[in-house]
Amino acid sequence: MNRIFCFAIFLLCSPPLFAQQFDFQNYSVGAGLAQSQVYALCQDQHGYIWMGTRGGGLSRFDGIRFEQFTQRDGLASNYVNTILEDQTGRIWIGCSDGLSCFDNRKLKSNALTGISVLDLTEVSDTLFIGTNKGLWVIYDTLPPKQLPRLKDYTVRSLYHAQDSSLWLATNQGPVELKNGKTRLLKRKNGFYNPEVMDFVETPNGELWIALFGTGVVVLDSSRQRITNYRPEIGSRLVQTLSLDRKKRIWAGTQDNGLALFNTADSSFTYLSESDGLAKNDVRTIIEDNWRNIWIGTSGGGVSKYAGQLFEHYDNSNGLPEDYIYSIAADSAGQLWVSSYDEGFTILTDTAMVPVNAENGFLDVKVKAMFRDRENRMWIGTEGSGLALKDSSGFRFFQTRDGLAGNWIRTITQDQDSHIWVGSASGGLTELVPRDSSLYEFELQVYRKQDGLPGQNINDLEVDSLNRLWLGLRSDGLACLQNGKVVHTLKNALPSVYVRSITEDAFGYLWVGMADAGLARVDIYSDSIEVLAFDGLTSNNVYLLQLDEDQNLWVGSERGVDLVQFDEERNIKTVQHFGRAEGFIGIETCQNASLKDEDGNLWFGTINGLTRYHPRNMRRNPTPPKLLLTDVKLFYESIQNTDYEAYYPSNNDLAATLSGNTSDDNQVLVLPYNENHLEFDFLGINHSNPNRVTYQWQLVGLESNWSPRSQRTTATYPDLSPGRYQFRVRAFNEDGVPSYPIQRFNFVIEPPYWDTLWFKSLIIGLGILMVGILFFSIIRSIRRKAKQREEKLQLEKSALELEQRALQLQMNPHFIFHTLNSIQRLIASQEPQTAHYYLSKFARLMRTMLEHSRENWISLESELELMRNYLLLEQFSQSNGFDFDIQLADDLDPEELRIPPMMVQPFLENAIIHGITPLHSKGRIEVRFALQNQYLECVIKDNGVGRAFAKNRRAQLAQNHKSTALQVTQERLDILQPAHKQKSLEILDLKDEKGLPKGTEVHLRMPFQIQL
């Protein structure tokens, strides 16, 4: 039996082609659901999906997290049958033991205790309640009221029809409630099974009725008789019916999953556990705002069906193994897939055909497959070289036949129909057709010695100039033209580890690298420009695949990214597809991708084979439902503080925080030290919950929106006093923003010291202080100016007084008498004595002139001047008096400094007015002593006294000395103006008889200590 016959027999005997895998996402206890039996589903106006379980209570799902509510939270019972949101946003929960209401974040359960609530519906402002004890109604806020005529019925389900009638699925048959009248449909209407489960109305007005044990029957539009039976449902145990926005009817069965009826073409589609449904026992079905279908099952939790963007196939569907190494398509459109170590598999319309050693191939792993322009199929193996499928079977090329290496990674064909084969370590092989034969070739090998930068080749691409580009494992890129390497790119790339390359229709070569992302190479420019790109979900690129629109699909260990470009072929958007988006294979395999003739994309992953339907790709136009879930003050929810009234309400659309309005009258006012706020928010997007992004802005602090982020918390510490408005918006995976923008108004009051009145007070006080300071400074300046003026005046007066004192001390009579006396000595031939006194006179004159230029002189200098003066006066008076100068023991005349020319006027006055008139010999005593803060000089003479001297001065008309004393007194007043004691005192001395016996002068002078 030849190979072709064996292969044909195998095709005929192969098993049927595997079933399609639909995009179901299942949630059960492991994902956070309270319990796996879900009998009730409801989507509220904020986007939450509420799930009622049989024993686990109530679960609320935001697309990522579950939140549980049980009897401990106030639920009537943990066995939930039905859930409804009314027009005011309250959530009603029908339980096996009563009715609960979730209102303003609190559960209330005080109605219908002991009654099993089976279904709920709202008509206008009336809530209808189906129970095991008939039908009840709630008007406004009144307690439930039972309709007496239906008290013996078990009402399983309620349906509000287009004609405003209310249909009741009861244990006695379908009941119509219309215009206050009740009608039970019986056998005459075609009903033989009273176990009614549910209703749904078709666009043409027919009413589908689910009968447990019978299946689905159709009531005509006149609502009189059964006109049809739907055995196509595939089960008689139909438990729930639902109509979606595409006018498709979903029928949930107890034993066979879902039946989907398309009213447009009357076709049926069936979905069960084999298609990914969590469980075949379906209890409830709803459609959310994003057109996802939610299916509650008994035992499997909840399934979410989002359509069929991706189809996934794995070992459970018939593939030999899940790990897909390579993909190709033959001329008949059949898919060739390698997925295990024993050859490959051909997928036909009706079968899966293994190709291995039993039918002419090898039991070997296949890493590359390629169909050339002649429709020949080339297979690259792991260790067994290259295989070519021809009419007689397979022809093999190995290293012994001239192949560069037996570990094949990539195969391509150039414009001259030459086949190029890249191996893992052996280099490059060129297969040149021999003459016109399709199966005879000459082999040419290229290795490092031939100019290749490396021999480990991951991918090959032929450009429009018929150049061959090589993606190398550790040596970057190389370009071969006419058998020679014309370009090498290594250092210019972000990584030398190139896994995948492909040329787009615009002449750019795209390069996917290990751990370095994506690069674009302008291969037709003179300089071969390289531009690296960021923004991929993962930089660990395994494959690159262009679709029909020249979008680039990038495969990695985290799924695939759809990269779309602008007009300059720069990246505009990156859309990720992973498990949450239906790409459940997740990690892709190196260069395992294909675009088939219908434009579908096939991806090989480590978890099976995935097909992408570009025609099913749709943009999500529905924005996220955005909630401001909490506001925290210093990490504590304001719900637990004195500001509880401002806590975000998730169930009150009229609340300030709902986003429908920004009520500036509802403002949270905080003191200045309550200034650390944190805002929690959530965007619910059941189409793709993990791709929601957010922007926020604090008006009053920030002028721009924040960058988009997946963070759901915004924190603002240490806010300054002021008026603020927090704003937040959410975006879905396609960038559609939520509307309206959520807002939260608050004010941080300033401290009292930062208020207007306090600032005004401080400013007023400041102005006052500045004024006081200003006038004080002006007054001080004026005072200092006056003092300076007075000081200058005093200095001027002192100088004038000193000059006058000097003039007075240089008494012409004294000079005349002294010089006259010296002249007599010279005439009497006493030159030596004359020379002595002349020297004393010269010394006195010099000292007086020197003192006139000083403000302070030493006491020693003053004593010397006094002695010289007294000696000269004594000489001129012919020794008419004696003198004695004494110093206190604690005085050091060299350290003490005194004003000059102070004592001499008093000595002269004592000689002239006191001693000269005496008929006896006179005596002058001078004593110096320290008295507290001044130096006291006492001048005592035994002259005639001041009274006699006064009369004599009057006779002589002499006023010289009185002037000297006046000048000295004025100098003393200037030098020590604030002294408590008198600076000058003159005492008249008398004997026992009261007769004058002299004068005593007390002169108190300031002094300085010379250090």
Side-chain angles (χ1 to χ4, degrees), residues 790-802 804 855-856 899 902 966-979 983 1004 1006:
E790 290 175 349
K791 182 178 179 182
L792 291 174
Q793 187 64 38
L794 288 173
E795 290 175 352
K796 179 181 178 183
S797 299
L799 181 59
E800 291 175 349
L801 290 171
E802 288 174 1
R804 290 173 63 190
N855 294 324
W856 297 85
M902 282 290 187
Q966 181 182 355
V967 170
T968 302
Q969 180 66 62
E970 291 176 359
R971 288 183 66 200
L972 288 171
D973 292 341
I974 292 173
L975 291 171
Q976 47 186 24
H979 207 280
S983 57
R1004 299 178 180 93

Side-chain angles (χ1 to χ4, degrees), residues 906 909 936-941 965 984-987 999-1003:
F906 296 99
N909 198 47
E936 184 177 52
C937 177
V938 179
I939 305 161
K940 181 179 179 183
D941 66 66
L965 291 177
L984 178 64
E985 285 186 281
I986 302 176
L987 303 176
T999 306
E1000 187 175 279
V1001 177
H1002 289 260
L1003 177 64

Side-chain angles (χ1 to χ4, degrees), residues 616-622 732-737:
N616 291 347
M617 181 70 174
R618 61 181 176 89
R619 185 174 180 269
N620 178 14
T622 305
N732 69 10
E733 67 273 21
D734 290 317
V736 178

Side-chain angles (χ1 to χ4, degrees), residues 798-812 814-815 844-854 865 900-902 904-905 908 960-961 963-964 967-968 971:
L799 181 59
E800 291 175 349
L801 290 171
E802 288 174 1
Q803 292 173 352
R804 290 173 63 190
L806 179 61
Q807 292 170 358
L808 292 171
Q809 287 170 349
M810 291 185 180
N811 191 335
F814 165 70
I815 297 172
L844 176 63
M845 294 297 104
R846 181 179 178 182
T847 302
M848 292 181 69
L849 290 173
E850 288 177 352
H851 287 182
S852 68
R853 294 193 295 267
E854 300 292 337
L865 185 144
M901 296 176 290
M902 282 290 187
Q904 187 271 339
E908 184 178 355
H960 173 75
K961 292 306 167 190
T963 303
V967 170
T968 302
R971 288 183 66 200

Side-chain angles (χ1 to χ4, degrees), residues 802-818 841 844-845 848 862 865-874 876-877 881-883 885 901-917 923-926 937-946 949 952-953 956 958-968 986 999 1001 1003:
E802 288 174 1
Q803 292 173 352
R804 290 173 63 190
L806 179 61
Q807 292 170 358
L808 292 171
Q809 287 170 349
M810 291 185 180
N811 191 335
H813 296 283
F814 165 70
I815 297 172
F816 173 77
H817 288 304
T818 301
F841 179 77
L844 176 63
M845 294 297 104
M848 292 181 69
E862 183 72 8
L865 185 144
M866 291 167 55
R867 288 189 185 99
N868 288 336
Y869 172 72
L870 289 172
L871 280 173
L872 291 173
E873 283 285 9
Q874 191 181 47
S876 64
Q877 295 287 338
F881 68 92
D882 293 327
F883 67 89
I885 301 175
M901 296 176 290
M902 282 290 187
V903 181
Q904 187 271 339
F906 296 99
L907 295 175
E908 184 178 355
N909 198 47
I911 293 170
I912 295 173
H913 299 290
I915 300 298
T916 300
R923 180 175 178 80
I924 298 176
E925 294 178 4
V926 181
C937 177
V938 179
I939 305 161
K940 181 179 179 183
D941 66 66
N942 61 349
V944 295
R946 288 192 297 171
R952 187 171 178 268
R953 282 199 305 272
L956 298 175
Q958 176 61 264
N959 60 3
H960 173 75
K961 292 306 167 190
S962 62
T963 303
L965 291 177
Q966 181 182 355
V967 170
T968 302
I986 302 176
T999 306
V1001 177
L1003 177 64

Side-chain angles (χ1 to χ4, degrees), residues 38 118 281 304 468 497 565 817 873 933:
V38 178
L118 302 176
D281 190 350
K304 182 182 77 171
L468 182 68
Y497 193 155
F565 304 95
H817 288 304
E873 283 285 9
Q933 300 179 2

Side-chain angles (χ1 to χ4, degrees), residues 24 56 118 140 278 283 301 321 353 428 432 496 524 532 534 548 713 721 742 762 781 807 846 885 915-917 996 1005:
F24 282 103
L118 302 176
D140 198 15
R283 297 290 175 151
E321 286 188 7
V353 183
L428 180 67
V432 182
V496 296
Y524 297 106
D534 295 322
E548 290 188 329
T713 298
Q742 293 280 7
I762 294 299
I781 291 172
Q807 292 170 358
R846 181 179 178 182
I885 301 175
I915 300 298
T916 300
M1005 301 174 289

